[in-house]
Amino acid sequence: MKLRSAAKVLLRRRSDGAYLILTSSKWEDNHLRSQKPDLPGGMVEPGESLITGLQRELVEEIGFTVSEDDLELVFASTYIEEAEDTSITFLLYFAEVDDIEVTLSWEHESFEWMSAEAVMGIEIRPPYPAIFSHFKTVGLLR
């Protein structure tokens, strides 16, 4: 079995408390991801640290990165991708940012800064709905 890690980040803008939600581009080979809400981040490459991998993904996907000191680990889980015989450890970080200029890569077709209420109402793939619900309960989505 292969071991992989994925790191994503929930970004909250300091000026108005809005959260950055991306919309994935069309993915012919992955309909669960195709043109669906997403958070910035992705798979960590072999040999990369989790933070280095996340920062690389942020630069690639939104043209911006967050310093390690500003990243707070807020969720972790491990699941098995049976079709690929892979165990994936999924880490979700949280960070507050100033107003940033978002520059999307080919992986995403659009983005929106959303209120916590709007984030709670989006249709997004698991495990995000359960995570967002918990974040709302503990005050991380406010």
Side-chain angles (χ1 to χ4, degrees), residues 64-117:
F64 177 82
T65 194
V66 178
S67 82
E68 182 173 0
D69 293 339
D70 293 330
L71 291 166
E72 178 184 356
L73 181 61
V74 292
F75 179 83
S77 70
T78 299
Y79 62 95
I80 305 298
E81 190 71 47
E82 290 183 23
E84 297 182 24
D85 193 35
T86 302
S87 172
I88 299 175
T89 298
F90 173 78
L91 302 169
L92 180 59
Y93 291 85
F94 171 81
E96 285 194 306
V97 295
D98 293 320
D99 291 345
I100 61 172
E101 182 177 330
V102 175
T103 304
L104 296 176
S105 74
W106 62 270
E107 292 183 65
H108 297 93
E109 63 185 27
S110 65
F111 70 92
E112 185 176 349
W113 290 97
M114 305 175 99
S115 68
E117 290 73 29

Side-chain angles (χ1 to χ4, degrees), residues 10-80:
L10 177 63
L11 296 174
R12 181 170 60 208
R13 193 166 51 189
R14 283 188 184 96
S15 64
D16 60 3
Y19 299 86
L20 181 63
I21 302 296
L22 309 176
T23 299
S24 293
S25 298
K26 188 166 183 131
W27 291 71
E28 294 293 340
D29 60 337
N30 188 343
H31 295 289
L32 292 177
R33 182 174 179 183
S34 186
Q35 297 179 304
K36 303 284 194 232
D38 195 15
L39 296 179
M43 297 304 291
V44 175
E45 297 295 332
E48 276 184 322
S49 73
L50 295 169
I51 298 297
T52 299
L54 176 59
Q55 290 172 325
R56 174 189 49 75
E57 285 284 341
L58 292 177
V59 169
E60 289 174 8
E61 293 184 358
I62 63 172
F64 177 82
T65 194
V66 178
S67 82
E68 182 173 0
D69 293 339
D70 293 330
L71 291 166
E72 178 184 356
L73 181 61
V74 292
F75 179 83
S77 70
T78 299
Y79 62 95
I80 305 298

